[in-house]
């Protein structure tokens, strides 16, 4: 019976279905090679000795009996908790001010608060050195002895993570229903009760999400701790020290696995929260029109002004320091620090390498990620494969850059690997960066694809039009805004990332962000700041340029939206 | 009826995991016929349509179209046009580009394509909107453009998935007529899915009523309305009084528990079931009058009077806990001026009576009046009899 059924279930040959399946399979293969295989290799390395023999959990035992290493876990947790508390509090108040108050200058605040997104995380750390370091201009304001340590790390991280938290919270607070507030008003509910019973529950998912995003970013960040951590070890710098300093790859793998745990945990919780968030606000919800309340507005403005001042101070200090001839003895302005060819770290070449890499990441990444998201969203066949793909697409969010970078060493540097030829080339940096930032792009693409009528593929099948024609003529044009967003997101992040690529560059492929670290390590703090500033302005420039051409492009291709 | 049916569906079965979406579906559609799949949401009607289109795969059964087995063919290799509930017009293409979408690979010259598109726009009564985007059109216009796009490739079969349900009532009525006219003039075999009984009754040549993944009844609108095959069909289409009853020895039909015995005979030996009749088939007697021998007589008290516009719906209590609905033309109502508490004599022809045995049996059960004496009955005597019997 089952044999007969199977026989009759044999589908007729269908080129389109074959192409779709083949592409889907290639996509999963790509994610396996770019993500799963390296990670597995790393897990394997953590239970091997130098010679590659299996030694069980001996490396872990060694790690946990070494207080110098073990202490980093506590340090990382302390840093992450403090950063999360400070950032979430500040971002919550700012988001409230920007969405619910009648405060003036909202646009300006939003613009300023997005600036850190374009800076490498090294920039605030360098800036802290000039502000609060041994020769810092505001050293006297610092309540602790030295900025080199937890205080510096937390301050630097706060600067860098703040816009991420703010974005999530602003989205959460914008999606509220004014009708609830009107109902509360009609029932004569006092303000504090409205806040506790409507505002807070309305954003609770966004808030939980923000907390975990902040925590993950803080615990996995490498750049800030590297520059300003001093003797204060955290997990991310431990990996670097084990691998680059002591060439102890096995212990690096162990630390990586440990760093992976909190990241995966918060990733898992975040996914669960996300699932429940669906349809919290109905389509009929009425948007809130904030009313002005002078006292509250002024207080909020004062607060936002303080935040903006801090952000501008950090950026401005880095810019200023990069233009000073010799801090703090010769304060004349010059461009000496921008003569990168005179310093360690690869000089101007590294900057152009960074540009080249960012360009390729943006081009190939956008194409690959969008295509795979499309297949995942619109192809009905092979449900198991698509589930696998969905999982693999979400996984990079949980993998810290340091861990991914180290995994790439293990996987691609192995002489047995046929992909070994990629090692030390620009290609491996592109692949690594692409995978590192995969998830956010995948989510952006999926969201925009989900908004497209699911029957378009059915209609074109009934009209005998192949799916790739519909993809080209309808799906892609409809998703163009998302595609452009993905490309610029990839470009900016590829320019500023440091954690994953710090293990993978070679003499020919030094990168600007790595050069910042190397110059800083060599004591050339000012040129390091100069390079960080340059990276930030490049990213900002690209973003503005992108904004201009997308406006032009969208005006032409999205005519139907406004028709 | 000489040729084989255009579309032949044989013993179809479709499961989603453990859930059986369709079971034992067999159906034949003639060329040029307009068939409606009618049923409540979740009955499997849309799934059946998507299977005919090749958008869903079946686990068992066969479908052939124009003599060709298409069961395993992907949609691209089948011959149909489809209109979805959401229209699924491409928002970034103009109306003309939308209609011409399927023509591109027909190797028509650009000029012929333009001519064809303009013809179609003419046909759907919307000439001159070719350069607009779908977003600029009203719902009804979008619907017609979607229809034109589906018809552009001259398919042998037109599939409509709830094409009118997203429109407001007035546009819907207008489009019903228009789709019917277009379908008749093109002579295209058409299958429409709908949950709206009025739509099905007015538009279809034949209706397929579906219930929980099976076909409950197939027939012309009139057949379905006048002789619903099951209690489900009766309830779903129009309104029907359904009174649970038990059959005692001597073929006495008891409605309720032992409240009301009716002098009815069933053609089959069943024990329990539902006695059904439509509210508009109940006559309110004006006073003492002669009735035909095969008429069921009832007596009751008006409980509610609901004005419905074209008619008045009375809720009449014929026994404890047993209410029936009776529809009265407005004209008759205004003569009588009925109000709650009035006593009424009611008459129903046995032709209008249906009996649905439970559990169901294959053969339809016919109902007739048990004639105790051959004399023509007199209303009051008979009514008194039945009331006496009920109270006994």
């Amino acid at each position: 019976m089952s044999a007969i059924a199977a026989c009759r279930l044999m589908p007729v040959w269908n080129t389109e279905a074959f192409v779709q399946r083949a592409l889907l399979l290639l996509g999963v293969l790509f994610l396996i090679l770019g993500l799963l295989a390296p990670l597995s290799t790393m897990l394997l390395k953590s239970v091997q000795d130098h010679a590659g023999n299996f030694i069980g959990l001996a490396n872990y035992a060694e790690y946990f009996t070494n207080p110098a290493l073990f202490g980093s876990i506590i340090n990382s947790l302390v840093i992450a908790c403090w950063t999360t508390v400070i950032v979430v509090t500040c971002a919550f108040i700012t988001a409230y001010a920007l969405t619910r108050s009648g405060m003036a200058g909202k646009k300006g605040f939003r613009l300023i608060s997005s600036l850190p997104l374009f800076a490498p995380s090294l920039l605030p750390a360098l800036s802290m050195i000039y502000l609060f370091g041994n020769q810092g201009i505001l050293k006297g304001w610092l309540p602790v002895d030295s900025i080199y340590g937890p205080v510096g790390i937390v301050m630097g991280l706060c600067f860098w993570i703040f816009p991420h938290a703010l974005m999530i919270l602003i989205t959460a607070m914008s999606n509220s229903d004014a009708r609830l507030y009107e109902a509360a008003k009609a029932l004569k509910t006092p303000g504090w009760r409205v806040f506790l019973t409507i505002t807070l529950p309305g954003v609770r998912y966004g808030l939980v999400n923000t907390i975990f995003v902040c925590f993950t970013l803080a615990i996995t960040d490498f750049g800030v701790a590297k520059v300003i951590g001093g003797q204060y070890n955290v997990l991310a710098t431990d990996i670097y020290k084990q691998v680059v300093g002591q060439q102890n790859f096995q212990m690096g793998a162990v630390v990586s696995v440990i760093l992976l745990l909190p990241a995966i945990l918060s990733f898992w919780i975040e996914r669960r929260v996300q699932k429940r968030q669906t349809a919290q606000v109905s389509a009929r919800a009425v948007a809130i029109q904030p009313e002005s309340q002078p006292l509250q507005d002024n207080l909020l403005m004062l607060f936002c002004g303080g935040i903006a001042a801090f952000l501008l101070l950090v950026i401005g200090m880095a810019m200023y320091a990069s233009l000073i001839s010799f801090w703090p003895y010769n304060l004349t302005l010059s461009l000496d620090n921008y003569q990168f060819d005179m310093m360690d770290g690869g000089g101007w070449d590294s900057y152009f390498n960074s540009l080249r890499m960012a360009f390729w990441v943006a081009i190939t990444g956008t194409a690959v990620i969008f295509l795979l998201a499309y297949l995942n969203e619109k192809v009905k066949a092979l449900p198991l494969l698509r589930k696998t793909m969905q999982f693999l697409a979400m996984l990079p969010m949980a993998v810290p850059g340091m861990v991914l970078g180290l995994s790439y060493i293990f996987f691609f540097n192995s002489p047995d690997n046929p992909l070994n030829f990629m090692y030390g080339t620009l290609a491996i940096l592109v692949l690594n960066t692409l995978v590192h930032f995969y998830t956010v792009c995948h989510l952006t693409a999926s969201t925009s694809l989900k908004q497209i009528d699911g029957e378009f593929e059915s209609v074109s099948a009934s009209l005998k039009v192949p799916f790739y024609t519909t993809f080209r003529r309808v799906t892609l044009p409809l998703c163009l805004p998302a595609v452009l967003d993905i490309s610029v997101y990839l470009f900016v992040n590829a320019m500023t990332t440091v954690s994953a690529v710090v293990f993978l560059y070679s003499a020919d492929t030094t990168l600007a962000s790595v050069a910042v670290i190397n110059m800083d390590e060599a004591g050339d703090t000012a040129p390091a700041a100069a390079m960080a500033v340059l990276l930030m302005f490049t990213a900002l420039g690209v973003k503005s340029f992108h904004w201009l051409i997308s406006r032009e492009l969208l005006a032409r291709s999205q005519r139907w939206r406004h028709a | 009826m000489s040729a084989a049916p255009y579309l032949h569906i044989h013993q179809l079965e479709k499961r989603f995991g453990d859930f059986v979406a369709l079971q034992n579906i067999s159906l034949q559609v003639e060329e040029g016929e307009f068939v409606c799949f009618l049923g409540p949401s979740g009955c499997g009607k849309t799934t059946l349509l998507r299977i005919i289109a090749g958008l869903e795969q079946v686990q068992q059964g066969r479908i052939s179209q124009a003599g060709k087995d298409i069961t395993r063919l992907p949609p691209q290799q089948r011959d149909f046009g489809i209109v979805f509930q959401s229209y699924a017009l491409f928002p970034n293409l103009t109306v003309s580009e939308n209609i011409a979408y399927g023509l591109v690979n027909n190797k028509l010259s650009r000029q012929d394509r333009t001519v064809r598109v303009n013809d179609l726009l003419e046909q759907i009564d919307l000439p001159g909107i070719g350069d607009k985007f779908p977003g600029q059109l009203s719902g009804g216009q979008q619907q017609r453009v979607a229809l034109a796009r589906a018809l552009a490739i001259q398919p042998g079969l037109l599939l409509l998935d709830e094409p009118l349900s997203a429109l407001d009532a007035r546009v819907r009525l207008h489009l019903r007529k228009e789709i019917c006219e277009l379908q008749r003039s093109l002579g295209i075999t058409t299958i429409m899915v709908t949950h709206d009984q009025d739509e099905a009754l007015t538009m279809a040549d034949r209706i397929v009523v579906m219930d929980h993944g099976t076909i409950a009844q197939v027939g012309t609108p009139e057949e379905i309305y006048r002789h619903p095959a099951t209690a489900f069909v009766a309830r779903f289409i129009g309104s029907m009084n359904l009174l649970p009853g038990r059959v005692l020895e001597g073929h006495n039909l008891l409605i309720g528990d032992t409240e009301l015995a009716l002098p009815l005979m069933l053609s089959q030996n069943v024990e329990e079931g539902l006695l059904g009749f439509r509210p508009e088939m109940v006559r309110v007697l004006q006073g003492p009058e002669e009735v035909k021998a095969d008429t069921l007589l009832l007596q009751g008290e008006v409980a509610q009077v609901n004005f419905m516009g074209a008619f008045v719906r009375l809720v009449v209590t014929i026994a404890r806990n047993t209410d029936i609905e009776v529809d009265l033309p407005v004209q008759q109502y205004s003569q009588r001026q009925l109000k709650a508490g009035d006593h009424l004599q009611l008459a129903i022809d046995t032709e209008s009576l249906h009996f649905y045995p439970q559990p169901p049996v294959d053969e339809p059960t016919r109902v007739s009046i048990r004639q105790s004496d051959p004399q023509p009955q007199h209303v009051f005597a008979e009514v008194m009899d039945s009331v006496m019997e009920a109270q006994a």
Side-chain angles (χ1 to χ4, degrees), chain A residues 63 74 149 217 236 247 280 286 308 313 396 414 445 548:
Chain A
Y63 178 87
I74 308 293
L217 284 173
Q247 298 287 311
Q280 210 204 131
V286 180
L313 176 71
S414 155
L548 278 177

Side-chain angles (χ1 to χ4, degrees), chain B residues 16-120:
Chain B
F16 294 106
D18 286 340
F19 175 70
V20 181
L22 291 174
Q23 206 174 13
N24 197 14
I25 301 286
S26 293
L27 179 70
Q28 307 186 352
V29 178
E30 302 300 328
E31 185 147 19
E33 203 175 12
F34 193 132
V35 171
C36 271
F37 293 170
L38 176 65
S41 56
C43 71
K45 54 192 192 300
T46 296
T47 307
L48 182 54
L49 190 86
R50 294 178 68 89
I51 287 171
I52 295 171
L55 299 170
E56 301 280 355
Q57 295 296 311
V58 285
Q59 273 83 20
Q60 260 175 50
R62 274 205 324 278
I63 311 175
S64 60
Q65 181 181 357
K68 189 170 126 195
D69 188 335
I70 59 164
T71 319
R72 298 289 159 211
L73 286 185
Q76 294 88 337
Q77 296 172 27
R78 299 187 184 196
D79 178 22
F80 69 95
I82 190 163
V83 176
F84 289 103
Q85 185 177 2
S86 65
Y87 321 137
L89 290 174
F90 305 127
N92 61 325
L93 303 182
T94 63
V95 167
S96 293
E97 286 169 329
N98 262 291
I99 296 177
Y101 199 79
L103 294 175
V104 176
N105 40 354
N106 273 14
K107 301 199 175 56
L108 284 176
S109 72
R110 184 172 289 270
Q111 211 170 1
D112 289 346
R113 256 197 332 249
T114 318
V115 171
R116 178 104 182 90
V117 168
N118 287 337
D119 276 358
L120 282 158

Side-chain angles (χ1 to χ4, degrees), chain A residues 67 140 159 171 260 385 555:
Chain A
F159 169 88
T171 314
L260 206 50
L385 205 62

Side-chain angles (χ1 to χ4, degrees), chain B residues 76 210 372 387:
Chain B
Q76 294 88 337
M210 298 186 61
S372 44
V387 170

Side-chain angles (χ1 to χ4, degrees), chain A residues 130 322 336-338 340 343 516 519 523-532:
Chain A
Y130 284 103
S322 75
D336 289 352
N337 291 323
Y338 286 84
F340 300 125
M343 332 275 173
V516 176
M519 288 191 278
D524 293 327
T525 317
M531 185 65 100

